Amino acid sequence: MSASVDTATATPVPTRRSRGETLRLYGRRLLRQPIATVGTVVFIIFLLMALFGPWIAPYGFEEQSIPDRLQSPTLQHPFGTDNFGRDVFSRIVVGARGIFLLGGTGTILAVMMGTTVGLISGYFGGLLDEILMRLLDVLLSIPSLLLALVLLGTVGPSLLNLILVVAVLYIPMIARVVRSVVLDLKTKEFVEAARIRGERDSYVLFREILPNALPPLLVEASMRFSYSIFLVASLGFLGLGVQPPSPDWGLQINEARNYLESAPWMLAFPALAISLLVVGTNLMSDGLRRVLQPGREDS
Amino acid sequence: MLSFIVRRLGFMVLTLILASLLIFAATQILPGDVATMVLGRFATEQALDNFRGEMGLNRSLVVQYGDWLFSFVQGDWGESLSTRADVRDLVLERLRNSAMLALVAFVMYVPLGIVLGVVAAIRRNSWVDHVISVGSLAFIGLPEFVTGLLLIAVFALRLDWFPSSSAIPPDAAFFDRHTLERLVLPALTISLVSLAYIARMTRSSTVEVLGMDYVRTAYLKGLSRSRVIGRHVLRNALLPTVTVVAIGIGWLIGGLIVTESLFGFPGIGRLLLFGIQRRDLPLIQATTMVIVVIFTMANLLADILYGYLNPRIRFR
Amino acid sequence: MATTTETTTGRGSRNVLEIEGLSVAYRTEEGDIFPVRDVSLTIGKGESFGLVGESGSGKSTLAMGAIRYLPANGRVTAGRVLLSGRDLLSLSGKEMRSVWGSRVAVVYQSPGNALNPSIRTGNQIAEVARIHLGMSKQEAHQRMLEMLEKVKMPDPESVARRYPHQLSGGMLQRCVVAQAMVTNPELLILDEPTTALDVTTQAVVLDLVAELKQEFDSAILYITHDLGVVARVCDRVGVMYAGEFMEQGAIRHLFKRPLHPYTLNLLGCVPHFSLGPRRKTLNTIPGFIPRLDELPEGCIFAPRCSLAEPECRVAQPPLVRAGEDHLTACRRWPVVPTPAEHMDTITADLMQARGEAENRLLEARDVKKYYPVPAQGPFRKDKRKVKSVDGMTIWIDEGRTLGLVGESGSGKTTMARTIIGLVEPTEGTISLRGEVLGPTTRSRTRDVLRRIQMVFQNPDASLNPRQTVGQSIGRPLALFGTPRGEIPGRVLELLEAVHLSPSYYRRLPSELSGGEKQRVAIARAFAAEPDLILCDEPIASLDVSVQGSLMNLLTTLQAEKGTSYLFISHDLSAVQHLSDWVCVAYLGCAMEWGDAGDVLNPPYHPYTEALLSAIPIPDPDVIQKNIRLEGSVPSAVDIPPGCRFHTRCPRFIGDICVEEEPPWREGEGDHWIYCHHTFETLVEMQKETLRLADHDHGSPGVEVQV
Amino acid sequence: MGMNFNRRRRRLSTVVVLGGVLVVLLSLLVLGCGGDEDDTAATDETTEVTSAEGDTESTEGDMAAVERGGVVSIGAQPATNLDPHFSTSIADIMLNHQRFDWLVELDQENQIQPGIAESWESNEDGTVWTFTLREGVTFNDGSPLTAEDVAYSFDRLRDPDVGSPVVSLYEGVSEISALDDTTVEFTLSSSNPEFPAFTADYHSAIVNSEVEDLTAPGGGAGSGPFVLDSYSPEDRASLVAAESYWKEGEDGEPLPYLEGLEFIFSPDLGGQVEALRGGELDFVGGLTTELVDTVEADEALQLLKVTSNMHYVLHMRADGDNPAADENVREALKLGTDHQQLVDAVRPGLAEVGNGFTPVGPSYGDYYLEQPPQRDVETAQQLLADAGYGDGLEITLTAQQALDVPAIATVWAEQMAEIGVTVNIETVPVDVYYGDGEQSWLEVPFGITEWGARAVPVNYFQLAYAPNGDYNESHWESQEMADLTQQISNELDRDKRVDLYHQAQQLMIEEAPIIVPYFEAGLAGAAAELNGVELATDWARTIFTNAYMAAAQ
C-alpha cells in the first residue's frame, strides 16, 4: 500500500526522550539513510580536500613538467597529467578549495542576506514585505545562469564578483524559504506569547523565530551550495568564471575538450569531481531534510 | 477565474517592468562609459561627445531608460554594437531556432519525467524508486557541459549516430531530417537535467497525494490500483507538475546557454553569450528581455493552466 | 498473554463481523511494535459497536487491520477476521478489492479530505455504484441521487454537481456517508466521523447515523474517543487501552457499572452535568499510556491503577465474563467501585465558598473587529468586511471566571486576541480596573502587559521548540523584573505549582506530552503574576484523561492566586464546570449571558438550547431533546439582518426576527437574553419539550439534563 | 520470519542504491577512460601511417580527377569585420580572401606572384612603380575592374581619415595614378625595392570604387572567386562561386570548382574539430598540437601543413607607468623566458625557436639573424632587484582565448614565477582582444598576439615596431628602430639590406619590449575528400579557388 507510516498510530504518545537522546536520534536517523550518509561522507571528503588541499596534493597545482605531459593515469599521477604535465589529481584536490571558496562563501553570504530579508519581510509584512517580495520575484524571473552571465559580463569575472553574483542569485530563494517559515512561525502561539509579554521585535526575531527557522534554512543552504557548484563550474566552462591557470574544475573541463580523444582523463576526473560533489551534497541535503524536517517530502 | 488572470497579468507586467529596470541598470550603469568602451580610450573628447549625443547617452538615465523601454516595446531594439546588425532580426531568428530545440527537448523530457516520477512514487522505497531517485539526483548533479561532452564523445565521435555540431543554417526547416538529427544531442543534453528535475517533483507531489485521505477513500471504495492512480491520484498530483514544468523553463534557458555554445547551435543562448563576450549592450538587453518575457509568460501560462485545472481556484 | 478469544455478543442476530485474536505489527526504525494485540470482537447485523479509547490506543489500527488496509510497514501477525463467515485474511488482493466499498465501507474523521478535490462529488459517489453494482452511467447517477436524498441532503442535484471545496463540513460528511452506503454494505466503519465537526453539526451527523442504522441494517463499527458519542449511537462498546480491550459490554451495563478501573476513570474525567455542583475535582489518571516498545509486564494498566496489587503485575489478565454481555480484563473487577462511590472518593471542593462580587477587573465594551475581505484583483478592492466580532460586551470580576462558548466562527478567539492586544479592535474599548488600555501590545505599558496573560489551544505550538522548559518559564520572570539570581528558584516553584518535577527544567518541548506542555504554558502564564489569564480552548486538543487534571489545576491555581480567567471553549460542559459567568456567542455577538447557574438552566436562549441539546452525554439513560440546527454558521461577511440567528433558529417567530434586532431581556438574577421571545414564552416552549422527554423516558429517577 | 525477511530486503535495496550511484559515476569514468585506451592505441598506429606518407604534403600528391560542385564548410571563430581593409580576426582575413583579389599574390615560398597585376616594373631608384593589370577582370557584378579601382583601393588604405590599420605601411606612397584602364602608377617619396610585396598585405584587397558598403552580401564589392551570399553574425556566412572569375581551372572553365563556401563560426576550436570529425565541417585551420594528434588519428581526415613565419608576440608595454617601461624589467622578463620549454610544452615538434625577440624567423633565409636566446635566471633576478622588484613583481597578462595563447601564457607564467614575477592571466574572447575596449591588444600592459606571415620582414617593423606603427602594441618608442626601418625600406642593395636587417634584429634582441616564443608551422585539418587546397604561408590567407571535393582514394 502506498500510504505513509502513520506515526500517530505507529508510535504511541508520549515519547519521552532526553536531549542527548534527541541528538543521537538525529544521528541514528541519518545513519539509517545510507544514501544520505554516503552523500555526507562525500561532502566531508571534498570539504577536507578544500581545507587541506595543498597538503594532500602530491604536486603543486601549477607545477608543470613538460616531459610528463598528457600521461594517462599511473601510480605517480593517479588521475594522469594534463597538457602541461600538471598532475590532474593535485589540480582537482586544490580545485575543491576554489569551489568551496566561491560556492561556499557565496552561499553563506546569500544565507546571511537572504535570512535578513526573509526575516524582515515575513515578520513585519505590509508594504515593505510587498516591495521586497516583488523585487525578489523579479530576480527570480530571470533564469539564474542568465543573470549570472549578464552581471559578470558587465562587472567582469573576478573572485569577489563571482562570490557576489552567487550571493545575489541565491538571496531570493533563501529569503523566500525564510519568509515562509517566518510567516508560519509568526502565527505560532509561542511567538504570540512573546508578543503578549511585550518582547522587543529583535528578541522575537532572533530568539523565538530564527532558531526555529534554522533547520529548513540549513537544508536550503546545502541545496543552494550544490547548485552553486554547478553554477560556478558552468561559468568556468563558459570562460566567465575563474580565470586560468586556476585549477577550477569547469575550466579544466573546458581545457580538456581539446583532448577529448588524446587524454580523456583530463575530462573524466574533473567531471567526476563535479558530479560527485553535487550529487553528494544533494544527497546530504536530502538526508538533512529528512532528519531535520521529518514528515516533509522533498520539494 | 477572469479576475485571477487579470491579477496575474498585472503582476507579470509589474515584474517585467522591474526586470527591465534591473537589466537596464546592470548593463547601462555598471560598466562605466559606453562611449569610451565603443570608441576606445584614445578617442578624442569631441568624438566621445558626438557619440554620446548620437546615442543619447548624455541624457539623464531616467530618460534613457524610458526611451529604451519605449522603443523596445515598439519593436525597435537597436543595432548591435559588435555586428552592426539589427538586433530584433537577429534575436528573433535565433529565438526561432532555440524554440525548435526547446520543443524537441520538451517532447523528450516532460512525458518521460512525469512517467518516471509517478512510477517512483507508486513504487515508493522499492528498488525502482531508488534507482529513479538516485539516478535523477545524479543527473541533476551533472552539468550540461559534462553530459554534452559525454554525449558527443559517445554518440557523435564513437558511434557516429548523430552529428557533433548542431550548426543549422539560419533558414533550416524544422521537419527536416537534416535539422532534426542535429537537434537530438543538444536536446538530450538539456533534457537530462530537466528530466531529473521533473521526475523528482512529480514523485514528491505524487507521494504527497498518495498520502491523502481521499486516496485511502478511493482504495477503500474498492477501486483497482490503476483506476485509483489514473483517476484519483494523477489528476491532483500533476497539478503542481504544471508549475514545475513552467519553472523548468528557467532551467531550460540556463541549459540552452551552455548547450548551444557547446554544440555550436545558433540559438538565443549562444547569441547572449556572444553579446556578453563582446559587451554588446543592445544585444544583451534585448536577448535578456526576450528571455525574461518568455520566462514570465511561461509562468503566467502555468498559473492560468493550474487555476483552470484546479477546481478549487476555478470555482471560487 | 491472554489466550481467550471471548467476546461479548450482540443482540442475538447473526454476526456480521467476527474478529478473533487479531494482532497487528508495525515495522519501525527500532524494530517491530504491536499496536494491537490479540483482540476479539463481534458485531451483529444491525448492531453498532463503539470502539473507545484515547489516542494511541490502537482503535483505528484494529479496524484497518481487520479490513486489511494497513500502511506499508504494517501487517496482521495473528488472528482471524470473518465477515459474514468469510475469512478476510485469506482473500487475495483482488478479492479484497471487491469487498472494499461493496461489503465494507469506511467513513473518516475529516470529510474535507476524504473526497477528491478535483472530481465532482456526485461522480465520486456514482463511481461506487458503477464499480460494485455494475450500473450504467445513468443508473449510477440515479442511485447517487437516491443516496443523497437518503442522507437528507438538500438539493441533491446541485450538490452532486459541485466540487468538495464548495460544500460545508456537514454536507461533506453526508456525502461521504452516502458514498459509503451506496452498496448497502454489511459493515460500516465510522472512524471518528464527527471529531472535526462543530458540536451542532456533530449532533446532526449522529442523528443521521442513528437513522442509517435503522434503515440499512448494516453492522456499524464506530470508532471514537468521546464517550458521550458512544452513549448516543452505540449498542455495545469496547474500551481499548494501549492495544488491548479493557472492557467490553452492552452500553447500558458498561456505563452504569463499569467493571474496569480504566473505564471508571475515563468516565470520571469528563465534567458532567449530572455530577452536581461545580468546582469539584475531576478524576485524573496518573502516569501515561505506555510506549508500545516498553509495555509493562502483567496488566498493562496496572502502573496507573489505584486498585493494582502485586499480582496484577505478574501476568496479563484475560478478558473474563463479568455479567450478561459484559467482559472485563480486570482481575479485581468484583471490587471495582461504582461510579457514585468512585466520585465520592475523588471529589473534593476545590474552592472555598466565596463572598459577593468583588471588583470589576476587566471590561470589554462594544468590541468590533472587522477584517477586509481579501482582494480578488489588483483593480477590484472588495469593500466588504469580515465581521469577526460585531459589537460584543463582556466583563470579568476579580478572581472569577467568565466562560465564553460558541461554535467555530462565533468570534470568541478574536475577542480574546483583541483583549490581549494581538488584534487591534475596529471599535470598542478594553479597560482593566477602569483604566482604558491601548489597542495593541505595542501601545501598552509593561505593567499592563504583565497583568494579562494567555494560554493557547495548541500545546505543540505554544512552547518554543528550541527553548527548554526553564527558559520558557524564566523569560517572563526576567522580563518583568525578577532578579536574575532568583529566576531558577521561581521557575522551580512554578513547576511545582503545575505539578511538574524539577527534572523538567532542562527538557525541551519535544520531550513532553501534550498535557505537560500545557502545564508549562500555564506555568509560564502564571510566571508574570497576572490578574487575568485568557484560556483559549486550552484543553480541547487533549485526551479526556488529561483534560480532567488540567481543569483541576486551573481551578486550584485560581483558588490560590485569585487570578481571573476568561475561559473560551466550544464545550459547554467544560465551561459550566469552570465558570462563574457564561457568555454564549454567535457570529461575533453575545446571545445570552449571565451567572453560570442561570445561563445553563432554563429558560435558555434558543441557541443555547440547541447547543446543550447537541452535546453528547456519556450516560445512555439521559434522553436529550432533539433540537437541531440546520446548516452551518453563515458567513461573517454577510451577517443576516435582524436577529443574526434567525436563519437557523428553531424558535423562529416570523418577520420580526428577520427585520428587527432583538432586545436584551433581563431575567431573574444575573441573566440576559438577546431574543425576541420573552422569558415567559421561552419557559413555556422549553417546558413542553422537557416534559416530552421526561415522558418518553418514563423514569423519574433520572435527573433530566436539558 | 517476516521481520527478518524485511530487514534483509531493506539492506539489499540499500546495496542496490549504492550500487546504482557507483554505476552512474563509474560509467562516467569508463566512458572517458575506456575511450582513452582504445584510442591511444589507434592513434599510435595511424600516426605512423600518416606521417609516413605525410612528409610530402599530401594535398597535391595523388590528384584525383577534378570534380565541380559541392560546398565546403569551414570552421572559424566569429568574424568581426567584413570590410577587407579593416580585417583583424582570422575569420575576417579568411573570408575576405575569398571575396577579393590582390594586385600580387604570395606563394608557398613567400614569393610574390602575379595577381590582378600581370606584371610590374619600377624606375631605377625604385621610387616609381608601374603595375600592368590583367585584361578583362571584372567585379562580381560584372562591372570591369580598372586601374581606377586599384588607385581607389590604395588611396582608401592610406587615407588616415578612413583609418585602415595599414596607413603607416603606405606612408611612403606619395601619389597613385591610373594611367589608363590597365596601368596604375605608384609614386613613392623614397625608394622601396620591395614595394610590390607591400601590396600583398592581407588588408590590401582591390575593392570596387563604386561600392559604398563592402560588407554587404552579394553585389560587386570584390572580384574574388566567391561572393558573399548571406551573413549571419556570430553564426555563419555563406559564399557562392563567382560567375565569371578570371582564373581558369584544368577543365578550361572559370574557377572555382566549388559551388560555394560555408563559414561556420564557433568560438571553440575543440568543437570545430569534433565537427570536422563528424563530417559537419570540411576545413578547420590553426590547429593546436593536441588537435593535430586527433586529426592525424582520424582516417577520414587529412592534415595540411605549411612552414611559415607565423609567430606569437608577447608584448610588454613600454610606455607610461607600466612595469615594462623599465628597461631592466623588460630585460629580466626576456632573460627569464625559456623558449625551448615553450615549444616543448605547447607545440612539440611543430615549431622552432627563432632568435627569441624578433619577428624575423628562420624562414626568411639570410635576412634572419641566428642567435638563439639564452635563459639566465640569476641575471633576470638581479635585474628585477635593480628595478626595485626584489620582493617580487605582479603583472597581468591578457590572453585571448584562442589558439596556443592560453597555453603559452600558462607556461610562461610558470617560468616567470621562477624569477619572482607573479603573472595573473586574464583570458578574453578573441574579438574582445582585437576589439576597441580596455582589454584590447593595443591597450593591455602585457598581451599575447598572433602574427601571420608577411612577404618581407620589414612589414613587421613598419607596423609594430616603428614608433608610429599602427600595431605598435608594445608602445616602443625607439628612434633607432625607426631609422633602421626606414633604411631597410629604402635600400636597394640586397646585401646591405641583409646587414641592416641584422642590425635591426640585434637591436630588438637587446631592447625591444617583446618576446617571440617560437615560429610555427601553419596547420589545418581537412576532410580527406577535400582536394586542391594549398595552405598559404599565413594559413588564414588560404584561398579555395582550386579546391574541389572528390571521394578519398
Side-chain angles (χ1 to χ4, degrees), chain C residues 72 119 151 177 205 233 243 246 274 301 338 379 401 428 437 497 553 606 650 656:
Chain C
I119 304 179
V151 297
V177 171
V205 173
V233 292
M246 295 290 102
S274 62
F301 186 65
T338 63
F379 315 111
T401 302
L437 304 181
L553 177 68
I656 184 168

Side-chain angles (χ1 to χ4, degrees), chain B residues 76-121:
Chain B
D76 172 14
W77 298 357
E79 185 184 75
S80 152
L81 294 181
S82 59
T83 65
R84 302 281 162 204
D86 184 77
V87 171
R88 193 174 62 137
D89 295 348
L90 205 56
V91 169
L92 291 183
E93 186 193 293
R94 298 297 193 276
L95 187 62
R96 172 183 161 274
N97 289 347
S98 286
M100 290 198 300
L101 180 56
L103 186 71
V104 173
F106 227 67
V107 170
M108 280 180 176
Y109 75 75
V110 172
L112 191 59
I114 290 174
V115 167
L116 288 179
V118 170
V119 167

Side-chain angles (χ1 to χ4, degrees), chain A residues 32 34-35 38 62-64 66 69-70 72-73 83-84 86 157 238-240 243-245 254-255 257-265 268-269 271-272 275-276 279 283, chain D residues 10 14 17-18 21 25 28-29 32-33 35-36 39-40 268-271 274 277 288-291 293-294 341 344-346 348 401 406-408 410-411 414 425-427:
Chain A
R32 219 170 279 121
I35 307 177
V38 170
E62 285 180 312
E63 196 180 309
Q64 301 176 355
I66 299 306
R69 66 196 299 273
L70 298 181
S72 57
N83 49 328
F84 297 118
R86 296 177 297 196
L238 292 176
L240 276 162
Q243 301 296 310
N254 190 3
E255 287 167 355
R257 182 171 189 181
N258 289 348
Y259 304 87
L260 209 52
E261 295 290 313
S262 49
W265 54 88
F269 289 104
L272 197 66
S275 311
L276 266 179
V279 173
L283 292 173
Chain D
R10 234 176 60 199
T14 306
V17 172
L18 285 179
V21 179
L25 296 172
L28 260 173
L29 195 64
C33 290
D36 119 59
D39 271 1
T40 350
D268 177 67
L269 193 61
E274 280 156 23
R277 297 188 58 204
T288 53
T289 316
E290 60 279 358
L291 291 174
D293 295 344
T294 308
Q341 193 195 31
D344 292 344
V346 184
Q401 283 162 348
I408 293 172
T410 310
V411 177
E414 271 296 289
I425 299 169
E426 189 173 1
T427 55

Side-chain angles (χ1 to χ4, degrees), chain B residues 42 94 167 182 277-278, chain D residues 233-234 236 280 431-432 443:
Chain B
F42 298 106
R94 298 297 193 276
R182 271 157 188 75
Q277 282 165 345
R278 280 154 191 80
Chain D
E234 69 81 42
R236 64 172 63 206
E280 297 288 300
D431 38 298
V432 169
E443 298 289 327

Side-chain angles (χ1 to χ4, degrees), chain A residues 185-229:
Chain A
L185 288 171
K186 201 167 79 164
T187 59
K188 283 275 158 68
E189 282 88 339
F190 67 87
V191 174
E192 295 196 329
R195 285 169 60 198
I196 288 168
R197 291 199 297 270
E199 299 280 9
R200 289 170 199 285
D201 288 329
S202 58
Y203 178 90
V204 177
L205 270 177
F206 293 109
R207 303 298 294 278
E208 301 278 1
I209 291 180
L210 189 58
N212 289 294
L214 282 180
L217 189 59
L218 195 62
V219 172
E220 182 67 18
S222 66
M223 207 67 205
R224 287 299 135 212
F225 175 68
S226 81
Y227 286 132
S228 76
I229 302 165

